[in-house]
Amino acid sequence: MEILLAKRAGFCFGVKRATQMAFEAAEKDGETFTLGPIIHSPQVVQRLEGMGVKVLSDLEGIGNGTVIIRSHGVTSAELEDAVRRQLEVVDATCPFVKKAQEHVKRLSHDGYTVVVVGDADHPEVQGIVSYAEGPVHVVGSGEEAARLPNMKKVGVVAQTTQSFETLKNVVKECLLKGGEIRVFKTICDATAVRQDEAKALAREVDCMIVIGGFNSANTKRLAEVCSELQPRTHHIETAQELDASWFQGVERVGVTAGASTPKWLIDKVIERIQELDNKKKG
Amino acid sequence: MEILLAKRAGFCFGVKRATQMAFEAAEKDGETFTLGPIIHSPQVVQRLEGMGVKVLSDLEGIGNGTVIIRSHGVTSAELEDAVRRQLEVVDATCPFVKKAQEHVKRLSHDGYTVVVVGDADHPEVQGIVSYAEGPVHVVGSGEEAARLPNMKKVGVVAQTTQSFETLKNVVKECLLKGGEIRVFKTICDATAVRQDEAKALAREVDCMIVIGGFNSANTKRLAEVCSELQPRTHHIETAQELDASWFQGVERVGVTAGASTPKWLIDKVIERIQELDNKKKG
């Protein structure tokens, strides 16, 4: 059985940076926390927990130590809270997400009504939105944007993982709503490139394995797009979940992974697939 | 024969204002000039010439007097030339065009590459473009915008008479080209409203008369859209051009006029159609 690994499987730039910063902080003395999971990988979070890094939902009762800001960012109120408590802050917010937050703050300050293209329930979007000082709307599609009120000056930013198509559809609607429309293309193309590669791979293989947190939106989406092209697509978090029956009659298996999946998890999956293949042969 | 006049036939806000300013200036003492025709109506220009207002292509050799800036605006160099010559300037530039010029100047100053959606040969566009202090492109369609180079910050403005559809197509392409796209919707809806009314009228009548300068882009376009719905559409400048044969078997005739057509020209056309109808009956 041939195993084909997608070139862009696993960590994107922002996640790699955040994970490195978190492991470095974990090695230092003193208590260390993250506000929410550092990245959407339960296995990475577990490793950090093993090194004493606690995941908190808020800073209630915390008086000293280091707080690591996750790659998706946090709300401005949460960041201010950490500063007020005089905690040491390691800001591992993805620089692309940070840019989106800064654009929202600036647009809002300059009198623009802000439109964030994204998923209102995603922590990245909740962080970005919190930087608005005035009116702000979150829309997930052109149809949702069509329901926005008329606005004088509209400032548009996007969740970094949004598709260009959705941004385009929202901007089209915003052109109808306002006299000035200012768009910051805060989309990071890592998501699109990863999806395109995965699609190409899914077309070539008999079975597709997508590795990543079940809480990771980009991994779930990756598994979806692969499923459309290859019904034998499986979304797993770890090698333990692999099932020998999936590879019956399979000659080529494709492997890809979400942006928050570490290399060691991918390596283990490949190793395990090889083991299962050897058993099949023997 | 019933004559139906479109509600929004004739002068738009900017043309009405420019014409009033020109006639007021013409009544004062001293030499008076316009740089290019004040509006695209040869009949109005003729009336002003009768009052001593000369149409110049440039200010070469002019040392004193009043220069009236036409509704479409002039280039920044032409305006500076008038000031340098210490002429009295009556700036009849349409305030909507002025806004577009100001946006271009500001965008350019702030480091944006400017994209003007419009017809590169139209004097309004030539005036708007002249306010750019840095790179500027004129595009007439989404296809043309697709050929633009990549840009960091893109500032988009439109010729005031452009269609919203064209602006939307250009913005869509610009979203692919730059990291920030700032759009000022400088389109004046007078053109679209006039066209929509004319189309509704063209569907109801057996013959359509469109009045306006043969050098007026908006009148030519108005005649085009009417022709598509009513083949018996005639574009005329004055009542003298009306031909009795056009009204053979016609029960309802529609009349509309471009943005630079004065009311007295429309009134004469209606009067003449009534005369021809009376002759037909008698």
Side-chain angles (χ1 to χ4, degrees):
Chain A
M1 196 163 65
E2 195 182 356
I3 303 170
L4 300 167
L5 176 64
K7 223 189 304 170
R8 235 69 64 100
F11 279 4
C12 66
F13 164 75
V15 168
K16 191 171 182 178
R17 179 177 169 274
T19 310
Q20 272 172 353
M21 287 171 84
F23 279 102
E24 277 164 26
E27 278 168 8
K28 289 190 185 153
D29 292 341
E31 288 220 275
T32 308
F33 318 97
T34 65
L35 263 171
I38 177 82
I39 60 171
H40 277 161
S41 164
Q43 291 70 34
V44 169
V45 170
Q46 225 168 13
R47 277 214 175 175
L48 283 166
E49 277 174 339
M51 293 170 77
V53 179
K54 293 192 190 100
V55 180
L56 304 175
S57 58
D58 60 61
L59 296 174
E60 193 62 44
I62 306 295
N64 58 63
T66 300
V67 59
I68 310 167
I69 306 301
R70 65 183 171 206
S71 59
H72 288 134
V74 294
T75 65
S76 60
E78 286 171 308
L79 197 56
E80 279 162 24
D81 190 24
V83 173
R84 197 167 35 237
R85 289 171 188 274
Q86 298 185 290
L87 303 176
E88 194 177 329
V89 174
V90 173
D91 192 351
T93 307
C94 166
F96 298 131
V97 174
K98 201 90 192 163
K99 263 263 174 288
Q101 293 173 346
E102 285 165 1
H103 287 316
V104 166
K105 192 182 167 102
R106 182 65 193 274
L107 284 167
S108 203
H109 182 83
D110 290 350
Y112 291 82
T113 297
V114 174
V115 173
V116 179
V117 185
D119 169 6
D121 295 328
H122 196 284
E124 179 188 326
V125 173
Q126 286 164 346
I128 291 173
V129 160
S130 74
Y131 283 84
E133 295 168 4
V136 56
H137 305 273
V138 179
V139 293
S141 64
E143 293 74 50
E144 277 179 48
R147 293 195 288 271
L148 289 173
N150 283 339
M151 300 162 278
K152 205 165 173 278
K153 292 162 71 178
V154 191
V156 182
V157 302
Q159 183 180 0
T160 55
T161 50
Q162 280 294 301
S163 77
F164 181 71
E165 197 59 27
T166 306
L167 173 65
K168 215 169 62 181
N169 292 336
V170 169
V171 168
K172 226 166 59 183
E173 293 300 329
C174 287
L175 278 174
L176 284 163
K177 305 288 179 182
E180 182 194 339
I181 299 93
R182 195 167 176 184
V183 187
F184 287 97
K185 212 167 67 188
T186 52
I187 291 173
C188 166
D189 69 356
T191 307
V193 169
R194 183 191 315 274
Q195 280 181 14
D196 288 345
E197 278 186 10
K199 282 194 251 181
L201 195 54
R203 281 192 194 93
E204 284 180 40
V205 297
D206 317 306
C207 174
M208 196 69 200
I209 304 297
V210 181
I211 320 163
F214 295 132
N215 59 344
S216 155
N218 84 81
T219 310
K220 282 192 277 185
R221 183 80 194 114
L222 201 56
E224 265 169 35
V225 299
C226 290
S227 291
E228 284 163 20
L229 297 161
Q230 175 49 262
R232 292 175 80 166
T233 292
H234 305 277
H235 176 182
I236 60 171
E237 271 192 3
T238 64
Q240 284 79 58
E241 296 155 43
L242 289 166
D243 190 314
S245 69
W246 297 349
F247 306 104
Q248 295 287 345
V250 167
E251 279 178 26
R252 303 200 329 153
V253 56
V255 176
T256 188
S260 40
T261 309
K263 193 175 171 301
W264 53 269
L265 272 181
I266 303 173
D267 289 344
K268 277 199 174 171
V269 166
I270 291 177
E271 225 171 85
R272 180 74 186 141
I273 296 174
Q274 276 163 341
E275 274 175 31
L276 292 170
D277 191 36
N278 290 338
K279 275 191 199 159
K280 199 165 68 170
K281 283 178 194 154
Chain B
M1 196 164 66
E2 195 181 353
I3 304 170
L4 299 166
L5 176 64
K7 223 189 303 170
R8 233 71 63 102
F11 279 5
C12 66
F13 164 74
V15 167
K16 191 170 181 177
R17 178 176 169 276
T19 310
Q20 272 171 351
M21 288 171 85
F23 278 103
E24 277 165 24
E27 277 169 7
K28 290 191 182 152
D29 290 339
E31 288 220 273
T32 308
F33 317 98
T34 67
L35 262 171
I38 178 84
I39 61 170
H40 277 162
S41 165
Q43 292 70 35
V44 169
V45 170
Q46 225 169 15
R47 277 216 175 173
L48 283 165
E49 278 175 338
M51 294 170 78
V53 179
K54 292 192 191 101
V55 181
L56 303 175
S57 58
D58 60 61
L59 297 173
E60 194 61 44
I62 306 294
N64 59 62
T66 300
V67 60
I68 310 166
I69 307 299
R70 62 181 173 210
S71 59
H72 288 134
V74 294
T75 66
S76 60
E78 285 172 310
L79 197 55
E80 279 161 23
D81 189 25
V83 172
R84 198 166 35 236
R85 290 170 187 276
Q86 298 186 293
L87 302 175
E88 193 177 330
V89 175
V90 173
D91 193 350
T93 307
C94 165
F96 298 131
V97 175
K98 200 89 191 164
K99 263 264 173 289
Q101 293 174 346
E102 286 165 0
H103 287 316
V104 166
K105 194 183 167 100
R106 182 66 192 275
L107 283 167
S108 204
H109 182 81
D110 291 349
Y112 292 82
T113 297
V114 174
V115 173
V116 179
V117 185
D119 170 6
D121 295 327
H122 196 283
E124 178 188 326
V125 173
Q126 288 165 346
I128 291 173
V129 161
S130 74
Y131 282 84
E133 294 168 4
V136 57
H137 305 274
V138 179
V139 294
S141 64
E143 293 75 48
E144 277 179 49
R147 292 195 289 271
L148 289 174
N150 284 338
M151 300 163 278
K152 204 164 173 274
K153 293 162 69 179
V154 191
V156 182
V157 303
Q159 183 179 359
T160 55
T161 50
Q162 280 293 300
S163 78
F164 180 71
E165 195 60 25
T166 306
L167 173 65
K168 215 169 61 180
N169 291 336
V170 169
V171 168
K172 223 164 62 181
E173 293 299 330
C174 287
L175 277 175
L176 284 164
K177 305 287 179 182
E180 182 193 339
I181 299 92
R182 195 167 175 184
V183 187
F184 287 98
K185 213 167 68 188
T186 51
I187 291 172
C188 165
D189 70 355
T191 307
V193 169
R194 183 192 315 273
Q195 279 181 14
D196 288 346
E197 277 186 11
K199 282 196 252 182
L201 194 55
R203 282 193 193 92
E204 283 179 40
V205 297
D206 317 306
C207 173
M208 195 69 198
I209 304 297
V210 181
I211 320 162
F214 295 132
N215 59 343
S216 156
N218 85 81
T219 310
K220 282 192 277 186
R221 183 79 194 114
L222 200 57
E224 266 170 34
V225 300
C226 290
S227 291
E228 285 164 19
L229 297 161
Q230 175 49 262
R232 292 175 79 166
T233 293
H234 305 277
H235 176 182
I236 60 171
E237 271 192 2
T238 64
Q240 284 79 57
E241 296 155 44
L242 289 167
D243 190 313
S245 69
W246 297 348
F247 306 106
Q248 296 288 344
V250 167
E251 278 179 27
R252 300 193 341 149
V253 56
V255 176
T256 188
S260 39
T261 310
K263 193 174 173 298
W264 53 270
L265 272 181
I266 303 173
D267 289 344
K268 277 198 176 172
V269 167
I270 291 177
E271 223 171 86
R272 180 72 186 141
I273 297 175
Q274 275 162 340
E275 274 174 31
L276 291 171
D277 189 38
N278 289 338
K279 273 190 200 161
K280 201 166 66 170
K281 284 178 195 153

